[in-house]
């Protein structure tokens, strides 16, 4: 997994609550059996005026000029901000793959849905929870100057604003460590194979029906 | 539990019984008993195994079935859409390569993954159950800790039989007193979401309790827990009781007779101890719950059928107000319109929320001897599994629907998410028994109203929403 330490970028503002994973990446793209290439379909229904699917070249489609990510000022942003309950709905990890493929390294919101939140950590995309008033301040900062640069410093658990102010954020120590180191979680877990086998032996005594077949 | 142990919630009991190791930093390694697999969220996980030369840790823990993409008509002809077909073929090839048990498309046991798990007894009380699908919460009806996972976690579960988890907070939702006639599990679960909001359960596991929950059948409890995720909770739970054990007994993957008594003894402990404390408690008066209809583009935008479409101008919170305005615009609704006057174009009875035999029976009871309204272009009934379909046909329910002008289809996810050919056209309005009314969920531009099976059937007959309690 890609490590995450410090990212400095402008911010793209998506001023909506309850952005669901169907909106982040609609179902027709879930038919892909690959893990990459979802970036052009991120927020597909909002970004384009005509319907798309895996067989249609996105370059041939009609762009919705009103959608915030299509505005020239927000091109190249690696940080997305949104309102409450970002990533609600389906468990599709394609939502995180699409954000990542598009170029977002972090999403900031007052709250995230649980499955989306944990999917982010498997892909090196950092979900940052800030207080609603702090998120509001970021929206206002971007509205004033879309080119303003913000820095997310994961080791320090801080966001630095252009004015010099900082916002602190919380993160589980374990998750932070895995992100900063860019660890392969499966490889790490497999180092505990003996503990897993010991658990199975113990459990098979208590609940033999779980291991009967 | 020995006398000195502090009282535990059901969630804490299951968690403790599956803890392999505390990893520190707020994370734990949790053992996974059952992993259900479907075609959409698994191909990249199998690729990951191949790439890293890894094998599944314990084959018998896995069970696979195609459901999201499958056609609901003319199945013997195969799948027309080449991309959908490729995804099913990938599931076939992956299960064959790694040796994972899979129900074929033409197998009578095929169906929606959350219907077949319990139906096969593959979901058992006290288990940890995972699947790359958020509605895995369904299986919590059995007192199992069941939650949806992303594809990286699918790969992790396959490779290690464990997941790295942060412990959730606990939330008790007590639904006191009995519900009135005509009020179903779907109405209870929608009313709860209307009350707590779609983020109300975020970070929590919900335990549902109270008389109205105890009264529910296992099917009803599955409908209830299914939508825990729409309330923001990754998992929902109901304590094990006699109904749970009676449902499980004799199913193909259930404990064999030599283990049955031991299993029952253990399962009987799967309830929250008296005095166990929850991080949040919500009390709901069951007698106040009416049949529900969602009016917006989030499941929390839901009201009793007797209500009218709300007016955003009356909402004080500006973020909420603009959300309501966007929703009404998308849904093509005017504030103040009585919900019972909203006319519909299509009816969808199905999905992992409401496609079990009781759901089909409830819809059939409403439709029996009546006709679909002419203004309704399509009313489709999609049973949750081949076995549900067989049972319904044995009871003659397929005839009831067909006589009324409803379509009777093959099992799968179908128009719940419209990955197959079943979908809404732009602007079409649907009375749907599924679980999500997001923009475009049932087809780009489609408008979804979430309701119970009886309410969907009644809307199909009347052409608009009606209160099922007023039908003779
Ligand atoms: S029926 Fe709908 S919600 Fe359930 S698993 Fe299928 S697509 Fe998901």
């Amino acid at each position: 997994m890609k490590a995450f330490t410090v990212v400095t970028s402008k911010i793209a503002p998506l001023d909506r609550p309850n952005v669901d994973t169907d909106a982040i990446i609609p179902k027709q793209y879930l038919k892909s059996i690959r893990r990459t290439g979802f970036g052009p379909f991120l927020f597909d229904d909002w970004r384009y005026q005509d319907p798309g699917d895996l067989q249609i070249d996105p370059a041939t489609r009609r762009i919705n000029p009103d959608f915030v990510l299509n505005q020239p000022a927000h091109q190249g942003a690696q940080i997305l901000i949104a309102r409450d309950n970002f990533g609600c709905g389906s468990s599709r990890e394609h939502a995180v793959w699409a954000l990542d493929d598009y170029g977002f390294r972090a999403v900031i919101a007052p709250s995230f849905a649980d499955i989306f939140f944990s999917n982010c950590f498997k892909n090196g995309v950092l979900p940052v929870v800030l207080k609603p008033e702090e998120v509001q301040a970021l929206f206002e900062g971007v509205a004033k100057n879309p080119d303003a640069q913000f820095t997310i410093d994961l080791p320090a658990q801080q966001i630095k604003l252009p004015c010099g102010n900082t916002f602190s954020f919380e993160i589980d120590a374990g998750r932070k460590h895995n992100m900063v180191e860019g660890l392969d979680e499966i490889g790490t877990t497999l180092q505990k194979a003996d503990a897993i086998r010991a658990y199975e032996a113990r459990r098979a005594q208590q609940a033999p029906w779980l291991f009967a077949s | 539990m020995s006398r000195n142990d502090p009282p535990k919630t059901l969630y804490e009991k299951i968690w403790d019984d599956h803890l392999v190791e505390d990893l520190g930093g707020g994370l734990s390694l949790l053992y996974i008993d059952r992993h259900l697999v479907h075609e959409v969220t698994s191909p990249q996980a199998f690729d990951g195994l191949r790439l890293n030369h890894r094998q599944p840790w314990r084959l018998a823990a896995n069970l696979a079935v195609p459901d999201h993409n499958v056609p609901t008509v003319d199945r013997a002809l195969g799948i027309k859409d080449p991309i959908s077909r490729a995804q099913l073929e990938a599931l076939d090839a992956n299960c064959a390569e790694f040796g994972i048990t899979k129900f074929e498309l033409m197998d009578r046991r095929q169906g929606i993954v959350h219907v077949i798990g319990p139906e096969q007894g593959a979901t058992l009380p006290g288990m940890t159950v995972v699947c790359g699908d958020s509605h895995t919460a369904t299986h919590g009806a059995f007192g199992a800790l069941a939650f949806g996972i992303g594809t990286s976690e699918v790969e992790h579960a396959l490779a290690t039989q464990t997941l790295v988890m942060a412990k959730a907070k606990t939330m008790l939702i007590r639904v006191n007193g009995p519900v009135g006639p005509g009020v179903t599990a779907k109405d209870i679960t929608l009313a709860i979401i209307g009350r707590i909001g779609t983020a109300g359960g975020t970070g929590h596991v919900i335990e549902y309790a109270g008389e109205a929950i105890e009264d529910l059948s296992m099917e009803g409890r599955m409908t209830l827990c299914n939508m825990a995720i729409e309330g923001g909770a990754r998992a929902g739970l109901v304590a094990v009781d006699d109904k749970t054990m009676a449902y499980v007994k004799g199913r193909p993957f259930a404990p064999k007779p030599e283990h049955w008594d031991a299993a029952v003894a253990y399962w009987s402990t799967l309830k929250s101890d008296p005095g166990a404390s929850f991080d949040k408690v919500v009390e709901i008066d069951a007698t106040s719950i009416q049949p529900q209809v969602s009016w917006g583009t989030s499941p929390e935008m839901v009201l009793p059928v007797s209500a009218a479409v709300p007016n955003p101008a009356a909402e004080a919170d500006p973020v909420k107000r603009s959300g309501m305005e966007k929703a009404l615009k998308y849904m093509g609704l005017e504030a103040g319109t009585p919900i019972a006057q909203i006319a519909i174009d299509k009816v969808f009875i199905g999905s992992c929320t409401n496609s079990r035999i009781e759901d089909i029976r409830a819809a059939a009871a409403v439709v029996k001897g009546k006709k679909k309204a002419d203004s309704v272009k399509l009313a489709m009934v999609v049973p949750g599994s081949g076995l549900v379909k067989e049972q319904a046909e044995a009871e003659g329910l397929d005839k009831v629907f067909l006589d009324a002008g409803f379509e009777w289809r093959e099992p799968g996810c179908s128009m719940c998410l419209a990955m197959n050919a079943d979908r809404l056209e732009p602007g079409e309005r649907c009375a749907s028994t599924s679980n999500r009314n997001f923009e475009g969920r049932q087809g780009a531009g489609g408008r979804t109203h979430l309701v119970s099976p009886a309410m969907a059937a009644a809307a199909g007959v009347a052409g608009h929403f009606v209160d099922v309690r007023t039908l003779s």
Side-chain angles (χ1 to χ4, degrees):
Chain A
M1 185 187 77
K2 227 178 349 204
F4 190 112
T5 48
V6 178
V7 166
T8 298
S9 158
K10 55 187 179 178
I11 288 182
L14 182 63
D15 196 353
R16 289 179 181 246
N18 300 317
V19 174
D20 60 76
T21 54
D22 282 72
I24 299 173
I25 182 91
K27 64 209 142 225
Q28 63 269 35
Y29 303 107
L30 311 190
K31 295 182 188 184
S32 166
I33 55 175
R34 296 170 40 211
R35 214 183 166 109
T36 52
F38 294 102
F41 313 122
L42 177 71
F43 301 122
D44 198 82
D45 288 349
W46 295 336
R47 237 165 106 194
Y48 301 97
Q49 291 173 326
D50 47 2
D53 67 38
L54 283 169
Q55 285 141 308
I56 298 174
D57 177 0
T60 66
R61 293 173 60 196
R62 272 187 294 128
I63 298 282
N64 172 7
D66 295 338
F67 183 57
V68 60
L69 291 191
N70 289 333
Q71 291 162 3
H74 302 304
Q75 300 310 304
Q78 296 177 56
I79 304 170
L80 183 71
I81 49 170
R83 302 289 182 178
D84 264 311
N85 202 26
F86 188 89
C88 61
S90 128
S91 65
R92 61 189 71 167
E93 197 161 315
H94 311 66
V96 182
W97 299 338
L99 287 162
D100 179 41
D101 199 55
Y102 183 90
F104 286 120
R105 299 294 325 274
V107 184
I108 301 173
S111 62
F112 291 89
D114 292 340
I115 304 180
F116 176 85
F117 191 75
S118 79
N119 284 343
C120 283
F121 287 100
K122 318 291 176 185
N123 293 282
V125 173
L126 184 68
V128 180
V129 179
L130 291 184
K131 298 192 190 82
E133 58 275 20
E134 293 170 340
V135 171
Q136 178 61 27
L138 294 183
F139 271 108
E140 286 167 11
V142 175
K144 266 194 224 114
N145 176 12
D147 287 321
Q149 298 286 308
F150 297 78
T151 297
I152 302 181
D153 183 336
L154 176 56
Q157 296 181 215
Q158 275 187 346
I159 298 191
K160 299 198 182 81
L161 280 65
C163 61
N165 275 358
T166 56
F167 294 150
S168 302
F169 59 89
E170 297 292 318
I171 179 172
D172 286 333
R175 282 182 160 144
K176 173 175 165 182
H177 175 76
N178 292 351
M179 279 291 257
V180 170
E181 301 294 328
L183 290 183
D184 162 28
E185 201 179 67
I186 296 178
T188 311
T189 299
L190 284 172
Q191 291 170 5
K192 308 211 173 275
D194 290 344
I196 302 171
R197 281 195 204 96
Y199 169 87
E200 285 179 323
R202 220 163 53 228
R203 185 72 171 153
Q205 297 287 315
Q206 284 168 356
W209 62 90
L210 293 174
F211 295 86
S213 57
Chain B
M1 165 171 113
S2 83
R3 196 148 300 165
N4 298 320
D5 287 340
K8 283 191 201 174
T9 64
L10 174 53
Y11 171 66
E12 287 158 345
K13 289 183 186 183
I14 303 175
W15 177 275
D16 289 352
D17 280 352
H18 290 84
L19 187 63
V20 174
E21 200 176 305
D22 184 341
L23 301 173
L27 298 176
S28 298
L29 195 61
L30 206 68
Y31 192 78
I32 302 303
D33 293 313
R34 177 64 69 199
H35 179 209
L36 302 166
V37 180
H38 66 87
E39 77 274 24
V40 176
T41 53
S42 65
Q44 297 87 350
F46 285 112
D47 275 349
L49 291 185
R50 266 189 293 271
L51 207 64
N52 295 291
H53 308 288
R54 289 172 180 147
Q55 288 295 319
W57 180 275
R58 186 157 79 88
L59 281 176
N62 301 282
L63 178 62
V65 68
D67 58 359
H68 282 63
N69 263 304
V70 303
T72 58
V73 286
D74 296 335
R75 193 164 270 191
L77 302 180
I79 302 177
K80 278 201 217 104
D81 174 3
I83 301 183
S84 289
R85 192 169 62 230
Q87 201 162 48
L88 261 75
E89 286 167 358
L91 183 68
D92 290 346
N94 286 324
C95 290
E97 176 183 342
F98 290 101
I100 288 172
T101 305
K102 181 180 126 272
F103 294 164
E104 303 291 332
L105 180 58
M106 300 306 283
D107 192 312
R108 51 199 282 270
R109 299 168 299 176
Q110 181 270 341
I112 304 172
V113 66
H114 308 308
V115 175
I116 67 148
E119 189 171 77
Q120 292 297 320
T123 302
L124 295 174
M127 272 185 164
T128 43
V129 180
V130 299
C131 173
D133 186 286
S134 59
H135 290 99
T136 309
T138 311
H139 309 259
F142 291 82
L145 178 60
F147 48 88
I149 56 178
T151 298
S152 294
E153 288 178 317
V154 169
E155 185 180 337
H156 196 283
L158 279 167
T160 72
Q161 212 54 51
T162 64
L163 286 176
V164 176
M165 305 282 300
K167 199 168 178 180
K169 295 193 199 117
T170 53
M171 178 172 189
L172 176 67
I173 298 185
R174 200 165 16 221
V175 189
N176 298 307
V179 292
V183 176
T184 67
K186 181 64 165 286
D187 303 304
I188 298 176
T189 205
L190 284 172
I192 288 171
I193 296 159
R195 164 86 172 269
I196 68 172
T198 48
T202 301
H204 293 74
V205 164
I206 296 176
E207 180 172 343
Y208 299 96
E211 185 180 345
I213 308 304
E214 289 159 22
D215 285 350
L216 290 175
S217 65
M218 290 313 295
E219 279 89 348
R221 292 177 191 178
M222 285 187 251
T223 301
L224 176 78
C225 290
N226 174 274
M227 291 190 72
I229 185 72
E230 273 67 45
R234 207 165 170 179
L237 284 169
V238 176
V240 175
D241 64 9
D242 291 346
K243 284 184 202 171
T244 323
M245 315 225 211
Y247 183 99
V248 168
K249 194 165 189 179
R251 293 186 183 262
F253 289 76
K256 299 288 171 274
E258 66 268 27
H259 291 135
W260 181 257
D261 291 345
V264 165
Y266 173 64
W267 295 343
S268 306
T269 67
L270 297 175
K271 49 181 72 121
S272 291
D273 295 325
S277 77
F278 291 81
D279 295 298
K280 253 193 216 174
V281 178
V282 177
E283 305 271 352
I284 290 183
D285 172 13
T287 58
S288 71
I289 301 176
Q290 297 181 39
Q292 304 281 308
V293 181
S294 73
W295 55 267
T297 52
S298 164
E300 70 188 12
M301 296 173 167
V302 67
L303 283 168
V305 60
S306 59
V309 175
N311 191 345
E315 173 60 56
D317 176 347
V319 175
K320 270 201 183 143
R321 191 187 319 132
S322 100
M324 288 171 75
E325 283 162 357
K326 282 193 181 108
L328 289 187
K329 180 154 178 267
Y330 180 85
M331 293 297 289
L333 291 173
E334 293 289 333
T337 309
I339 284 178
Q341 280 176 20
I342 300 173
I344 56 151
D345 303 301
K346 287 185 174 168
V347 174
F348 172 63
I349 297 170
S351 89
C352 57
T353 314
N354 282 128
S355 64
R356 298 176 189 82
I357 189 66
E358 279 191 6
D359 302 314
I360 311 280
R361 285 181 191 140
V366 170
V367 164
K368 193 169 177 135
K370 307 211 173 78
K371 291 274 183 239
K372 173 179 79 62
D374 288 338
S375 58
V376 173
K377 292 182 237 174
L378 172 73
M380 58 194 293
V381 186
V382 185
S385 71
L387 294 176
V388 169
K389 182 166 185 264
E390 273 182 17
Q391 174 70 31
E393 288 172 358
E395 296 176 20
L397 305 181
D398 55 329
K399 297 273 174 339
V400 171
F401 290 116
L402 292 168
D403 288 348
F406 282 52
E407 296 194 9
W408 179 245
R409 299 286 189 95
E410 300 287 340
C413 294
S414 180
M415 209 159 68
C416 173
L417 94 166
M419 267 185 92
N420 69 354
D422 309 333
R423 66 187 61 171
L424 298 181
E425 297 303 323
E428 280 184 342
R429 191 181 295 289
C430 183
S432 178
T433 66
S434 55
N435 43 51
R436 290 194 172 131
N437 51 352
F438 299 154
E439 289 183 18
R441 171 78 179 184
Q442 295 192 288
R447 295 161 171 166
T448 302
H449 294 271
L450 304 173
V451 288
S452 73
M455 286 286 288
V461 169
H464 54 84
F465 292 108
V466 279
D467 187 338
V468 281
R469 296 170 303 177
T470 63
L471 301 180
S472 51

